[in-house]
Amino acid sequence: MTTPKFAPGPAGAALRGLPRTDRLVEAADQAGMVEKLGHGAVLEAVRAELDRHRAAVLAGDPCPSPEAIEAGLLDRLREDARGSLRPVVNATGVVIHTNLGRAPLSDDAIAAMGRAARGYTNLEYDLVAGERGDRYGHAEAPLCRLTGAEAAVAVNNNASAVMLALAALMDAPPDRSGGGEAGVRPLAAPGRGEAEPGLPEVIVSRGQLVEIGGGFRIPDVLRRSGAALVEVGTTNRTYLRDHEAAVGPRTRILLAVHRSNFRLSGFVHDTPLEELVDLGRRRALWVVDDLGSGTLLETAPFGLGIEPTVQERIRAGADLVCFSGDKLLGGPQSGILCGTREAIARVKRHPLMRALRVDKVTLAALSATLAHYERGEALEKVPVWRAIAAAPEALEARARGWLAVLGAAGAGCAVRPSRSAVGGGSLPEVTLPTSVLALPGPPDALAARLRRGEPPVVGRIEEDRVVLDPRTVLPAEDEALVAAVRAALAV
């Protein structure tokens, strides 16, 4: 409902004291805001500002002076001019922070994105043959070398990868030449002469029907891909015999799902992937492994427990392994499918592939990230792994360095031990030793001042104090962080 511009009595007199629209637009123009934001955006902001003050006056609040209204408007326009998507300093200690954009990219990946974005590229052009080329080949070769897969392709995230994998493998069974069991009826594509009508079926353990961030649920993905879900086993224990008993004439896929963001412990049993692969070979079924975050490096040496690597799952024989490119891989947002030539060929031919494919900039960043692994320099060059591998002594020294630079402005600050989280749905409940800079003062107000700074600094509240964890602060951000802390403490 539009706020009335005029009203009788004292409120009407107060409303007539509001500055004119053209005066505020002119003030914004003189401050350079029209040039930065455009006339339409400034006019919209002016009208919104005036509407806000009209509503407040009609509610009984006093009307600010025209000068105060103009100053408030310009403050808001300057904030808008910064843009809504802004760089922040991640001092939370959460290495893969979903709300802060997950994995920061390496310098090489950023440079590769710039080169790809700056002009034309051979995205789908074969420079040797002088004809149309394969856009998927840019990342496929290194993915195959690193994982041992026969073929690979990248899409826009792992949720897409899983959905595409299921949708692409529904129509027909794999070619298991010489395989199958005697007496098992060959599977027909749905709607193409199948004796028993109904949706094709995907078998998954009840203990793996997970929901991850953003409401992404495995049962929902199955429905969207055109499959019927068949749950087997119990929440905590599922055996091969449970999968075998559920195989029927409409079964197409055996799906394994990594419990990326929670743990089951105690009286627990999961069907090993190798056993699912054996069942898939015997019964002409696809085996799809949703590995979630995925990793190409062993995690145990860094105190993260034992996580299956993509290479291990490929060696186990899964037809497709799906994982994220922007979590433990440390690359751009993407979902990666690695597996057999037959399975990947079906994925590439599926109509959804065009809707879910990645662009040249993402492919450039992904290829540059994979190159770090091939050169054996991921621990030094990939920011996620550099943060994970950071030694506790180095982190303490860095936090103490911040405190020393703060000098007198850091009165009341202290360095103390704490724990960092990996985050991003990866390795739940796994933390790493760190040291943090604890700041004095009311934590909520101080955290808000840090977030409103330039650049914004996001920390965490621990034991009623704002703490800043050096594990996730990039090396080039130290000076900016110290300046932001000094400004926030000075208020």
Side-chain angles (χ1 to χ4, degrees):
M1 184 176 71
T2 303
T3 305
K5 294 186 177 181
F6 301 103
L15 289 175
R16 286 191 290 273
L18 290 173
R20 290 165 52 91
T21 299
D22 56 357
R23 170 184 166 172
L24 292 177
V25 171
E26 182 180 357
D29 189 19
Q30 292 176 352
M33 293 298 104
V34 172
E35 181 180 357
K36 291 182 177 180
L37 296 171
H39 184 271
V42 168
L43 182 59
E44 182 180 284
V46 166
R47 288 170 174 167
E49 188 79 0
L50 290 173
D51 282 347
R52 186 173 68 84
H53 286 294
R54 287 190 191 101
V57 168
L58 291 173
D61 294 340
C63 183
S65 68
E67 294 75 18
I69 292 173
E70 180 180 312
L73 170 69
L74 293 179
D75 284 344
R76 287 176 176 80
L77 289 174
R78 292 188 186 100
E79 185 69 23
D80 291 345
R82 294 180 178 181
S84 61
L85 184 63
R86 297 165 55 192
V88 304
V89 176
N90 175 14
T92 65
V94 180
V95 178
I96 305 171
H97 200 306
T98 298
N99 302 131
L100 300 183
R102 290 188 179 164
L105 298 178
S106 72
D107 291 341
D108 286 6
I110 294 168
M113 293 173 73
R115 290 192 297 271
R118 193 171 296 119
Y120 297 101
T121 70
N122 62 328
L123 177 64
E124 291 185 6
Y125 187 74
D126 188 325
L127 293 172
V128 175
E131 59 187 28
R132 185 182 179 92
D134 176 17
R135 77 155 51 211
Y136 309 116
H138 298 288
E140 184 170 31
L143 281 169
C144 291
R145 288 192 296 268
L146 287 165
T147 67
E150 295 177 350
V153 70
V155 292
N156 64 354
N157 60 28
N158 191 48
S160 298
V162 175
M163 179 178 289
L164 181 58
L166 298 176
L169 302 183
M170 283 305 162
D171 287 346
D175 178 13
R176 309 292 195 204
S177 301
E181 290 182 342
V184 177
R185 182 171 64 82
L187 302 174
R192 300 178 186 173
E194 187 172 357
E196 298 185 24
L199 292 173
E201 295 174 348
V202 175
I203 297 176
V204 61
S205 167
R206 187 169 282 111
Q208 296 176 357
L209 294 177
V210 301
E211 174 183 332
I212 61 174
F216 175 80
R217 293 182 170 189
I218 290 297
D220 294 339
V221 173
L222 288 172
R223 282 192 291 271
R224 297 292 184 184
S225 66
L229 168 66
V230 178
E231 303 176 31
V232 298
T234 63
T235 301
N236 60 320
R237 296 182 76 82
T238 302
Y239 300 92
L240 179 64
R241 62 177 180 269
D242 297 315
H243 290 86
E244 287 183 300
V247 174
R250 295 196 301 273
T251 305
R252 296 290 186 274
I253 297 172
L254 303 174
L255 175 64
V257 181
H258 188 282
R259 289 187 283 267
S260 295
N261 52 7
F262 74 102
R263 285 277 187 267
L264 287 178
S265 60
F267 193 56
V268 173
H269 183 273
D270 285 313
T271 306
L273 181 62
E274 291 81 358
E275 293 184 5
L276 291 181
V277 168
D278 179 67
L279 177 59
R281 297 288 183 269
R282 290 186 283 112
R283 304 297 292 268
L285 304 172
W286 298 102
V287 178
V288 176
D289 183 26
D290 174 11
L291 198 49
S293 295
T295 178
L296 298 178
L297 299 181
E298 299 285 348
T299 54
F302 305 98
L304 302 180
I306 298 176
E307 281 291 303
T309 65
V310 178
Q311 304 92 298
E312 291 169 353
R313 307 302 267 187
I314 291 293
R315 286 196 298 269
D319 294 292
L320 283 179
V321 178
C322 308
F323 59 101
S324 294
D326 55 338
K327 291 187 176 180
L328 288 175
L329 185 68
Q333 178 180 301
S334 52
I336 298 170
L337 301 97
C338 294
T340 65
R341 290 187 186 88
E342 182 186 8
I344 294 295
R346 289 179 180 273
V347 166
K348 289 181 178 179
R349 290 197 302 266
H350 195 275
L352 272 177
M353 183 68 232
R354 185 173 182 85
L356 302 176
R357 68 186 185 182
V358 294
D359 70 334
K360 62 181 181 180
V361 175
T362 302
L363 281 171
L366 178 59
S367 298
T369 302
L370 294 172
H372 291 312
Y373 288 90
E374 292 211 87
R375 294 194 292 261
E377 61 188 24
L379 294 181
E380 296 79 32
K381 296 293 185 69
V382 177
V384 161
W385 281 102
R386 191 170 59 217
I388 289 173
E393 313 83 61
L395 296 171
E396 181 182 3
R398 199 163 165 209
R400 293 196 180 281
W402 296 345
L403 182 58
V405 174
L406 280 170
C413 297
V415 174
R416 65 190 193 193
S418 186
R419 308 285 298 186
S420 307
V422 177
S426 311
L427 306 168
E429 301 177 357
V430 174
T431 60
L432 299 168
T434 189
S435 293
V436 296
L437 179 65
L439 308 181
D444 291 334
L446 180 56
R449 289 199 298 272
L450 287 167
R451 293 195 304 271
R452 291 195 299 265
E454 184 57 43
V457 174
V458 183
R460 68 177 187 265
I461 296 176
E462 185 176 278
E463 297 178 6
D464 205 33
R465 295 186 74 173
V466 172
V467 300
L468 307 177
D469 190 333
R471 186 181 296 277
T472 50
V473 178
L474 302 179
E477 295 174 335
D478 282 357
E479 185 176 341
L481 178 134
V482 170
V485 171
R486 182 178 287 112
L489 292 176
V491 176

